[in-house]
Amino acid sequence: MTPMADREYLRIDYVARTGSGRIIDTTDPDVAADSDLAELEASGPIVVVPGEGHLFAPVEAAIDDADPGRTVAVTVDPEDAFGTVVPEELVTLEAEAVAPENREPGTTVQLGGRRAVVEDVGDGTVTVDFNHPLAGVTLEYEIEILERLEGTETRAAGLATTHGLREAAVDYDPEADALTLRLPDSSPSSDRDARKRAYLEDVRRLLGIASVTVIEAYGSDAD
């Protein structure tokens, strides 16, 4: 493993497609809109630290030593992406296990804390597939290397984009080795809290910052 201080911090844009050409992920909002990926949070380039699992391992390995300005194409086999199809994950259950309104092929359901897709509805039974929808699918990534990030504050700000905190302001005091993260006015959100925790873990572990302060605003009417 490369020492933390020597790691690459790469700002990238990417598009991920299945072998048939269907776009399943991208950082480009225009591409997402054109591909009818309304549920995809594509809001621009992100920062990746190869080896940290921000993207699939083959993708990170391919861009680790890539120079800015390059576009890298990477094929990711199923076992390195969403896994191979496991036949045992196709399960037939009593119909009562699935709510009546969800007994329709193609419907996504939660069963026992796991995600599944309804495959078939029989006489008193429902067959569901617990495999990931992209299990067994080979992916094709096209990654554009935009720049390498240098300096603690620049890298800390870049990591905020990786964790979906694009509106955050990041200030770093090198003398105190202290970082301040300011999050804009918004309503309380468990999703933002999870993103914030992941971000704080990254900046402390990767950048070794001694002190991190988070300042949040939650509306002018908040107590």
Side-chain angles (χ1 to χ4, degrees):
M1 180 67 72
T2 305
M4 292 297 182
D6 298 330
R7 305 291 289 279
E8 295 279 13
Y9 288 70
L10 303 174
R11 189 184 305 279
I12 66 169
D13 261 327
Y14 70 85
V15 178
R17 299 176 173 85
T18 63
S20 65
R22 178 168 65 94
I23 294 174
I24 55 99
D25 193 12
T26 181
T27 55
D28 189 325
D30 293 333
V31 172
D34 290 343
S35 303
D36 196 25
L37 296 173
E39 76 286 356
L40 181 63
E41 200 173 303
S43 50
I46 63 170
V47 171
V48 171
V49 182
E52 287 302 312
H54 294 135
L55 295 173
F56 293 124
V59 178
E60 294 190 355
I63 66 175
D64 191 16
D65 59 354
D67 294 324
R70 282 192 60 195
T71 297
V72 179
V74 185
T75 298
V76 182
D77 294 327
E79 55 268 28
D80 292 319
F82 295 101
T84 56
V85 174
V86 179
E88 291 78 13
E89 295 285 32
L90 193 67
V91 181
T92 298
L93 307 169
E94 296 292 330
E96 289 73 18
V98 177
E101 64 271 20
N102 291 332
R103 295 173 196 166
E104 186 73 27
T107 303
T108 299
V109 296
Q110 291 288 330
L111 297 173
R114 299 179 65 197
R115 179 186 183 281
V117 175
V118 175
E119 289 290 314
D120 185 59
V121 179
D123 184 12
T125 63
V126 176
T127 300
V128 298
D129 188 356
F130 285 101
N131 284 289
H132 190 282
L134 291 172
V137 176
T138 297
L139 303 180
E140 303 290 342
Y141 273 77
E142 184 177 313
I143 312 103
E144 182 181 2
I145 314 301
L146 301 176
E147 64 175 320
R148 283 192 179 92
L149 302 187
E150 303 292 344
T152 299
E153 183 170 290
T154 301
R155 289 177 168 183
L159 286 172
T161 68
T162 303
H163 293 287
L165 302 173
R166 290 183 180 274
E167 303 303 316
V170 175
D171 298 300
Y172 176 66
D173 180 351
E175 292 187 5
D177 192 20
L179 183 78
T180 301
L181 175 72
R182 291 182 173 83
L183 295 171
D185 178 45
S186 70
S187 300
S189 164
S190 59
D191 177 66
R192 189 170 78 161
D193 286 345
R195 293 172 184 268
K196 178 181 64 179
R197 287 193 296 271
Y199 171 75
L200 294 176
E201 179 181 339
D202 260 7
V203 295
R204 285 171 173 153
R205 181 172 52 82
L206 294 173
L207 298 174
I209 296 171
S211 172
V212 180
T213 300
V214 179
I215 300 174
E216 300 184 69
Y218 285 112
S220 57
D221 296 330
D223 292 333

